[in-house]
Amino acid sequence: MGLVVVGSIAFDAIKTPFGERERALGGAAVHFSLAASYFTDVRVVGPVGDDFGEDEYAVLHRHGVVTEDIEHVPGGKTFFYACEYEWNLNIRHSLDTQLGVFENFQPKLSDASKQAETLFLANIQPDLQREVREQCGAKLAGLDSMNFWIESARESLERTIATVDIVLMNDDEVRMLTEQPTLLKAARQIMAMGPSVVVVKQGEYGAALFTKDGFFSIPAFPLETVIDPTGAGDSFAGGLLGYLDAHGGATDDVTLRRAMAYGSAVASRWVEEFGCERAATLTHEEIDERFEAFRLMSVIEGVTTA
Ligand code: AMP
């Protein structure tokens, strides 16, 4: 058991119709590791600058996330991302992306991270994802990416996808990557690159799971109020991979379905507050409660024909 994640560690400027934050702790690896920490032991890999201080480390430490592999670059600036959401929260406009310390980052994993059983390559430059994959012998590896990297580093991304078992991406991004109109064709094309599992995140419509011999779909939880969707995708991935790691990296149909429901349960909690602020109060019981609500929500009684 043990999960290692590489990805952006960031400060985010976020504006939604319900408020804003100028400098919220964020980044794909931060959202992911906090979410996964509800299920398993997590180590996070990535660089930060001088602006990343004790308060930020404390958020991770309070969740037991091991930060030994966070590299502090003297004089550097932490990754920065700014975005704004429309009234329809499915529409996010990226306003600014400053790579900062990621620009010259060369990942070097500690021995403990190299031995992790599960690896997640959260959203970041695909060359860096691959460098981490090459150093880590994890028997189960997953990956996320986004339009920014599909546009600027497609070839590298495809090479990285070939090295993992599970790909998790947004529906728009899956279509953009494969240039296929339907998700089924797109998922098959991604599986032909190497992975055996494709999870397509569909925002407020939930998520779909494609494997070589099956399909499963889960809705998003119908929330009365969503404050900020930032990190929904990463916390979903954290719940999903965290659950799989806690179950020996199993990828049978039953375990994958439960992992999808746990990912959805965590994500539905994450969006109740800005950035990763919800993690400060979130309990495992609240996640389990949501899991049960998902289970009940999706049951269909069969019809008996005489
Ligand atoms: P999501 O789960 O898709 O809402 O991811 C949100 C997180 O992704 C934010 O906290 C950002 O810091 C991070 N992010 C945004 N753009 C990028 C990028 N190009 N590369 C890596 N991380 C990013």
Side-chain angles (χ1 to χ4, degrees), residues 8 10 12 26-28 31 79 81 85 92 97 123-124 146 148-149 229-234:
S8 52
D12 293 339
H31 290 294
F79 185 102
Y81 175 67
Y85 293 84
R92 167 164 76 190
T97 303
N123 188 17
I124 197 58
M146 73 184 292
F148 189 85
W149 303 116
T230 311
D234 303 310

Side-chain angles (χ1 to χ4, degrees), residues 170-302:
N170 288 342
D171 48 358
D172 283 352
E173 289 156 357
V174 159
R175 285 197 181 90
M176 188 177 178
L177 175 71
T178 61
E179 294 171 356
Q180 290 291 349
T182 67
L183 291 182
L184 183 59
K185 278 193 175 162
R188 284 208 187 114
Q189 190 165 314
I190 293 173
M191 285 191 263
M193 296 178 194
S196 51
V197 179
V198 176
V199 176
V200 181
K201 298 175 282 179
Q202 298 168 294
E204 74 165 319
Y205 304 110
L209 168 79
F210 298 87
T211 58
K212 294 238 152 65
D213 28 52
F215 170 75
F216 173 68
S217 172
I218 189 158
F221 193 78
L223 288 171
E224 198 88 40
T225 317
V226 174
I227 298 295
D228 170 25
T230 311
D234 303 310
S235 59
F236 170 83
L240 190 147
L241 266 292
Y243 183 82
L244 292 181
D245 182 66
H247 290 79
T251 53
D252 59 279
D253 194 54
V254 171
T255 313
L256 279 173
R257 285 175 184 229
R258 287 192 183 131
M260 290 279 290
Y262 266 114
S264 308
V266 177
S268 73
R269 292 296 190 188
W270 227 249
V271 301
E272 291 171 348
E273 286 178 30
F274 266 96
C276 57
E277 290 169 12
R278 183 65 174 87
T281 55
L282 183 62
T283 63
H284 209 305
E285 289 66 40
E286 287 176 306
I287 297 172
D288 286 342
E289 239 171 63
R290 251 320 126 75
F291 177 93
E292 187 54 15
F294 267 108
R295 208 181 61 72
L296 295 174
M297 206 168 101
S298 311
V299 172
I300 305 174
E301 296 296 336

Side-chain angles (χ1 to χ4, degrees), residues 13-138:
I14 306 166
K15 195 167 178 192
T16 82
F18 314 107
E20 58 189 296
R21 292 286 184 275
E22 275 180 17
R23 195 170 171 276
L25 174 62
V30 169
H31 290 294
F32 179 95
S33 54
L34 291 172
S37 74
Y38 286 89
F39 302 91
T40 192
D41 299 334
V42 188
R43 309 176 63 90
V44 59
V45 176
V48 297
D50 290 340
D51 47 353
F52 199 89
E54 287 309 313
D55 292 351
E56 286 74 31
Y57 279 108
V59 173
L60 294 164
H61 292 159
R62 271 198 292 275
H63 275 74
V65 175
V66 178
T67 57
E68 257 170 43
D69 289 75
I70 290 188
E71 188 183 316
H72 171 214
V73 180
K77 229 180 136 249
T78 300
F79 185 102
F80 176 78
Y81 175 67
C83 64
E84 183 169 352
Y85 293 84
E86 289 191 10
W87 185 250
N88 171 355
L89 292 170
N90 283 317
I91 306 175
R92 167 164 76 190
H93 300 284
S94 294
L95 305 177
D96 195 6
T97 303
Q98 296 173 20
L99 294 181
V101 286
F102 267 101
E103 223 146 353
N104 299 310
F105 178 55
Q106 295 199 306
K108 206 173 166 311
L109 268 59
S110 63
D111 286 343
S113 288
K114 284 179 186 164
Q115 282 157 22
E117 294 201 349
T118 307
L119 169 68
F120 190 64
L121 307 171
N123 188 17
I124 197 58
Q125 222 286 345
D127 288 339
L128 293 178
Q129 292 180 314
R130 209 166 51 254
E131 280 173 41
V132 170
R133 178 64 183 125
E134 282 160 7
Q135 291 176 47
C136 179

